[in-house]
Amino acid sequence: MPNLRLAFLGFGNVGQALLTLLLEKTEELRARHSIEWSLVGVAGRRLGSAIDPRGIDPLGALELAKARRPLAPLSAMPLEGDGVAFVGRCGADVLFENTPVSYEDGEPAVSHLRTALECGMHAITANKGPVVHAYRSLTALAAERGRRFMFESTVMDGAPVFSLWRECLPTARLQRFRGILNSTTNLILTLMEQGKTFEESVAHAQQIGIAESDPSGDILGWDAAVKVAALVTVLMDYPLTPQAVDRKGIDGIGEGEVLKAQRDGLRWKLVCRAERINGGVVAAVEPELLGPDDELYGVMGTSSAVTLESDVLGPLTIIEANPGPRTTAYGLLGDLVSAVRTAVV
Ligand SMILES: NC(=O)c1ccc[n+]([C@@H]2O[C@H](COP(=O)([O-])OP(=O)(O)OC[C@H]3O[C@@H](n4cnc5c(N)ncnc54)[C@H](OP(=O)(O)O)[C@@H]3O)[C@@H](O)[C@H]2O)c1
């Protein structure tokens, strides 16, 4: 039974939810997947880091992180340096990389994951940046090292999108997809239909922890665009950056527009789409007015959905209701099990 040494780089909402879920699922991992695990490294930015090859107490790490106190007292060695230095020294078998996304170039997460693979670790992330900026190179490096680069949680949190495609739809060719992929804007539009102002809706999304203190990445459509780019890059095997997605956010939609649509029996949604056209892929994110006969009309609040159209199946829709850090954590845990099961050693 392998004892997997795990390291966490980025120990915020998602990292902490994942460690909590691993504790909860320890027995199932052992009994159903023959996986034992221990925590050998954990790092944030302001939290600093801890490494101990003999194992770090997970509850102690969670307690310090929740209290926003430094992790250093849990460390068996003095540590200095950035995330790359942490990965190089942590001695883990698996790195979970859950630092914030960079839309521009995916850094420093790309370097964290590359270093992990070069050191012989599986590299698992919920960070979309590395998928859109380095999918092919990280996947090739992983194959070369007999390890896996996995990222299920980057789109639709824990709902199986990439693994469904990989495991259950062999040889299928994705022609187009359409969906709602950004929870924050979908919640804002839902709340505006219920009579809240734009500002009140944004404040509510921040209060429940789904929108960041600077919510512009969601509102201007960047988060949706990076998810579209990730789906196109991986499922259509067509490298696309978020900058190449034709993008419009919901910043132009005021309370008046939302209420008028409602009176007309319609609803504004931030719709994501991509389609193969003339040997390329055309991708867009923009607000659309949808009627009740549209399958995305009923996707409300923080829920998300995507419909995949391939050359072999009719439209196949995945809907995820009420996601959160725990569902994201589940996607990462699923990746861990898949990586261990399928690694070439
Ligand atoms: N929240 C979700 O449900 C969700 C869903 C899908 C995907 N994701 C993705 O998952 C990732 C993590 O999200 P989150 O909600 O956990 O974010 P978060 O709560 O802001 O946590 C980010 C963590 O990364 C650390 N960090 C920031 N910059 C770093 C750096 N340069 N080097 C090392 N550590 C650094 C932060 O440390 P300090 O706090 O000490 O600064 C913190 O521990 C993001 O890429 C996000 O897009 C999140």
Side-chain angles (χ1 to χ4, degrees):
M1 186 173 294
N3 178 13
L4 294 174
R5 293 163 297 180
L6 309 182
F8 286 54
L9 177 53
F11 199 51
N13 294 316
V14 171
Q16 291 173 41
L18 174 61
L19 189 54
T20 306
L21 187 63
L22 281 164
L23 287 166
E24 187 185 318
K25 296 286 183 187
T26 295
E27 189 43 46
E28 281 90 342
L29 285 168
R30 182 182 296 132
R32 290 170 55 184
H33 301 285
S34 300
I35 292 174
E36 296 276 0
W37 63 275
S38 63
L39 179 67
V40 295
V42 56
R45 192 178 35 178
R46 286 163 298 181
L47 291 173
S49 55
I51 294 178
D52 189 340
R54 294 163 308 173
I56 293 169
D57 170 23
L59 290 174
L62 285 167
E63 204 177 301
L64 288 175
K66 285 188 201 315
R68 296 178 195 276
R69 284 170 38 214
L71 297 162
L74 299 176
S75 195
M77 55 186 84
L79 278 172
E80 274 179 24
D82 59 6
V84 169
F86 167 81
V87 178
R89 290 196 64 191
C90 69
D93 301 306
V94 181
L95 177 75
F96 291 109
E97 208 287 353
N98 292 305
T99 66
V101 62
S102 151
Y103 301 126
E104 291 75 30
D105 60 6
E107 290 292 2
V110 173
S111 300
H112 297 157
L113 293 161
R114 184 174 296 126
T115 306
L117 292 165
E118 280 166 353
C119 293
M121 302 173 204
H122 295 297
I124 301 178
T125 189
N127 186 333
K128 297 163 276 283
V131 180
V132 294
H133 291 290
Y135 167 66
R136 284 191 174 173
S137 64
L138 291 173
T139 302
L141 177 59
E144 200 181 288
R145 301 297 166 110
R147 290 291 174 262
R148 300 295 303 273
F149 165 50
M150 304 198 80
F151 42 79
E152 182 58 75
S153 294
T154 54
V155 178
M156 290 179 73
D157 314 283
V161 179
F162 295 109
S163 52
L164 177 92
W165 188 257
R166 194 176 58 233
E167 306 293 333
C168 304
L169 298 168
T171 77
R173 181 175 161 85
L174 188 62
Q175 305 288 28
R176 65 184 69 80
F177 65 82
R178 177 172 179 270
I180 293 174
L181 298 174
N182 179 263
S183 294
T184 301
T185 47
N186 206 47
L187 177 64
I188 290 170
L189 293 169
T190 299
L191 293 172
M192 285 166 75
E193 279 186 26
Q194 293 166 4
K196 284 197 186 333
T197 64
F198 185 82
E199 288 72 22
E200 286 167 350
S201 305
V202 172
H204 179 84
Q206 286 168 327
Q207 205 182 339
I208 64 166
I210 67 156
E212 293 179 24
S213 49
D214 172 8
S216 58
D218 292 317
I219 288 166
L220 300 179
W222 277 112
D223 177 79
V226 78
K227 286 171 176 164
V228 168
L231 290 178
V232 170
T233 299
V234 180
L235 304 188
M236 293 176 147
D237 197 20
Y238 187 91
L240 193 81
T241 62
Q243 288 76 8
V245 176
D246 191 8
R247 175 185 52 81
K248 238 189 234 158
I250 63 161
D251 46 315
I253 301 179
E255 296 89 18
E257 282 81 7
V258 170
L259 296 177
K260 176 173 184 324
Q262 214 174 13
R263 282 196 299 276
D264 296 342
L266 304 172
R267 226 168 232 167
W268 283 104
K269 293 285 178 192
L270 187 63
V271 176
C272 300
R273 57 171 79 243
E275 181 167 15
R276 289 188 196 276
I277 294 177
N278 298 333
V281 174
V282 175
V285 169
E286 63 180 332
E288 285 182 25
L289 266 180
L290 307 183
D293 54 342
D294 194 299
E295 64 190 359
L296 298 179
Y297 180 84
V299 178
M300 301 297 281
T302 56
S303 301
S304 53
V306 69
T307 299
L308 306 174
E309 284 188 53
S310 67
D311 59 342
V312 285
L313 290 182
L316 177 66
T317 300
I318 303 166
I319 299 179
E320 185 187 36
N322 304 321
R326 183 178 161 86
T327 49
T328 305
Y330 181 66
L332 292 156
L333 187 146
D335 278 348
L336 171 71
V337 174
S338 301
V340 173
R341 198 174 48 211
T342 56
V344 184
V345 271

